[in-house]
Amino acid sequence: MSDVAVIGLGAMGTALAEAFLNKGHSVTVWNRSPAKAQVLAAKGAVVAASLEDAVRSSQLIMVCLLVYDTVHEALAAAQEALSGRTLVNLTNGTPEQARAMSDWAVGHGANYIDGGIMAVPPMIGGQHALILYSGSRQAFDTHAGQLDALGTSMYLGEDAGLAPLYDISLLAGMYGLFAGVLQALSLTGAVGIRAGEFMPLLMSWLNAMQGALPKWAERIDSDDHTSAVVSNLGMQADAYVNLIDASTAAGISTELVLPMQDLMRRGVAAGKANADLSSLVGLLQLSKQAT
Ligand code: NDP
């Protein structure tokens, strides 16, 4: 028996297996393309001949494949072996996929934990690698010591969908930031300003703007978007037009920034001109508006 089995040895799965090995855990690995297991075998991992052998090698089964469909496809061959074991699925997916996977695994007698990896492979094993978990509390408590080998573990609750919900929400914030940075560098780059020259100023500005976010949280939680507003939506919607016009004049695509303009206009039309930008959350929550 090994302490842990790692199924899927892409860039992330390999990093996970290495982190377990580095912390002194015995590890069995399996990958569809067997050649990827050789590096880990040289570091002491046992290479399972089949996915079912990998599942039977340990109480703790970590799966990290590309998408959920491949997890279903791959594990179908070993579903009988899952009973009594803990399946931790770190494949990126949606809350709905996680809940369905949880039902499937529990239906085969396994404990299920879903996970979201907030790190890139070189960070795995270090404290800055945040790994979000949700699902069976009992299984998480049992294996927390082993899971801590991967980074900083955060358990979110029994609903298996919570880890992917947090994961996707954090990624939404990240991609929003990246989209804005792409637009900024396109604008400055078009007139020959080097990205390296502009970036320190951009980073300093973004850091300063992050200071507004705790107030947003307060406004959203209290549903008060109008008291002590210093930069109201009406003013911002008017100024935003300049961002669109300047981009167009410079020959820069507005595909990343136009949706925000549409939303701001919708907010103004809905009577939120004197409210803070945080009030737009309500307009995005279409399902709440429908009820
Ligand atoms: P890779 O593309 O490097 O690896 C994909 C893995 O999935 C390989 O082991 C591949 O096997 C396996 N796979 C794909 N299709 C099948 C299939 N039909 N049957 C069996 N195995 C299959 O991806 P990563 O390792 O980078 O990512 C894995 C997961 O981790 C993804 O969900 C990703 O979103 C998530 N993640 C990745 C991060 C990153 O920075 N890399 C960051 C955070 C999360 P084979 O080798 O045979 O092709």
Side-chain angles (χ1 to χ4, degrees), residues 94-184:
T94 67
E96 292 72 25
Q97 287 175 323
R99 290 181 194 120
M101 181 68 74
S102 176
D103 289 346
W104 178 84
V106 170
H108 287 91
N111 303 306
Y112 185 79
I113 299 174
D114 209 276
I117 303 175
M118 307 316 298
V120 292
M123 292 166 68
I124 297 297
Q127 61 173 351
H128 295 300
L130 172 65
I131 321 282
L132 307 167
Y133 297 102
S134 58
S136 168
R137 165 109 235 176
Q138 192 192 0
F140 178 78
D141 288 345
T142 302
H143 295 290
Q146 289 155 286
L147 296 175
D148 283 348
L150 303 179
T152 299
S153 308
M154 182 182 283
Y155 177 78
L156 297 166
E158 293 272 351
D159 171 6
L162 282 173
L165 175 70
Y166 274 58
D167 182 331
I168 284 167
S169 301
L170 290 170
L171 291 181
M174 179 189 83
Y175 282 118
L177 175 82
F178 287 172
V181 169
L182 288 171
Q183 193 73 19

Side-chain angles (χ1 to χ4, degrees), residues 1 28 46 58 64 73 96 101 106 121 125 129 153 207 216 250 285:
M1 289 288 282
T28 293
V46 174
S58 173
C64 190
E73 198 183 310
E96 292 72 25
M101 181 68 74
V106 170
S153 308
N207 280 333
W216 276 35
Q285 291 170 328

Side-chain angles (χ1 to χ4, degrees), residues 186-191 243-253:
S186 301
L187 275 161
T188 49
V191 292
L243 195 166
I244 303 293
D245 288 350
S247 295
T248 306
I252 310 296
S253 168

